[in-house]
Amino acid sequence: MHEEVKHPCVQHKLALIRNKDTGYKKFRELATEITMFLCYEALKEIEVKEVTVQTPLAEAAGHKIANELVVVPILRAGVGMLEGILGLVPTARVGFVGMYREAGTKKPVSYYHKLPKETDGGTCIVIDPMLATGGSTAATIDFLKEQGAATIVVICIVTCPEGIALVETEHPDVKIYTASVDDHLDDRKYIVPGLGDAGDRLFGTR
Ligand code: PRP
Ligand code: URA
């Protein structure tokens, strides 16, 4: 399952972040801003439990997020979305998964992980700006499921039909929120039109 967030504020910022002339400072700011909007959408279906609070006047019924939230950026580019998501859910824990696409095969290679113990039974929000072939995201979801994650949601800035199909086939229980499902992958497995290499553009390594 996936949802493209068509809100005009998201689409406005998406056009700016795609622009090849947007430098890394502005690119980072836009990644943070877009992530906040996407995260707001993604959390609308999160499980809550009923609570009662005492106002100065009376008791009021309310809701509280039911499970521990664990945000999981996929290194390296996922770090560019961390500030935005923690701006909305500052009490979330953070677990890191390191993956890179092997130059020839484009298959994900795992090189690091450090998760909080609350991943077991928790709600994990995987963040990565690019869901291209879907390999890195699907491998991260496999790993989180092995660690006992109860619910997993993916937030990416841009994706494409190939990546969506892979994740939806392998993990039909995981919902993907994105600002855009783009047209296709090119020969190098880059998203077209996409926004280029997100890690390089975020961190100025181009
Ligand atoms: C990019 C991106 C994703 C992955 C997407 O990372 O940030 O993690 O590629 O591709 P996929 O869907 O085909 O797996 P990259 O491997 O370039 O590493 P980096 O973040 O360290 O630059
Ligand atoms: N990784 C990126 O950074 N961009 C793409 O288009 C595909 C993978």
Side-chain angles (χ1 to χ4, degrees):
M1 233 185 327
H2 66 277
E3 184 172 327
E4 239 176 319
V5 178
K6 290 292 194 186
H7 192 291
C9 292
V10 174
Q11 295 304 317
H12 177 91
K13 290 175 191 299
L14 178 64
L16 294 173
I17 203 171
R18 283 189 194 278
N19 190 326
K20 67 177 177 46
D21 296 326
T22 297
Y24 61 84
K25 176 178 180 286
K26 190 70 192 160
F27 191 96
R28 266 183 222 151
E29 289 166 4
L30 288 163
T32 297
E33 292 161 8
I34 293 169
T35 302
M36 285 181 106
F37 283 109
L38 296 179
C39 177
Y40 184 76
E41 272 305 299
L43 292 180
K44 71 187 174 196
E45 288 170 32
I46 204 164
E47 209 180 313
V48 290
K49 59 185 176 197
E50 290 180 3
V51 292
T52 306
V53 291
Q54 183 71 47
T55 79
L57 301 180
E59 279 193 344
H63 294 98
K64 187 178 167 194
I65 293 173
N67 297 320
E68 284 275 354
L69 287 184
V70 181
V71 179
V72 183
I74 303 180
L75 303 176
R76 155 186 74 130
V79 172
M81 298 171 72
L82 189 56
E83 187 182 335
I85 205 160
L86 291 180
L88 270 192
V89 282
T91 57
R93 293 173 197 272
V94 181
F96 292 92
V97 170
M99 285 282 167
Y100 69 89
R101 299 201 308 177
E102 202 271 319
T105 63
K106 306 296 181 197
K107 298 278 181 217
V109 179
S110 163
Y111 62 89
Y112 181 77
H113 57 79
K114 182 86 179 175
L115 296 177
K117 65 177 176 5
E118 289 76 8
T119 303
D120 190 356
T123 295
C124 291
I125 307 173
V126 176
I127 51 174
D128 192 324
M130 310 308 280
L131 197 165
T133 65
S136 306
T137 296
T140 301
I141 297 170
D142 284 337
F143 176 61
L144 293 174
K145 286 184 173 175
E146 281 163 26
Q147 305 307 309
T151 307
I152 302 172
V153 175
V154 171
I155 304 179
C156 58
I157 295 179
V158 177
T159 185
C160 58
E162 296 90 328
I164 293 269
L166 182 90
V167 175
E168 288 186 343
T169 303
E170 293 193 4
H171 299 288
D173 54 317
V174 171
K175 187 155 178 187
I176 301 165
Y177 290 86
T178 186
S180 180
V181 180
D182 275 9
D183 197 60
H184 66 281
L185 289 174
D186 69 8
D187 297 347
R188 298 178 309 146
K189 306 292 182 200
Y190 272 80
I191 299 172
V192 182
L195 44 80
D197 188 308
D200 283 349
R201 294 198 65 190
L202 274 164
F203 301 118
T205 47
R206 221 172 0 164

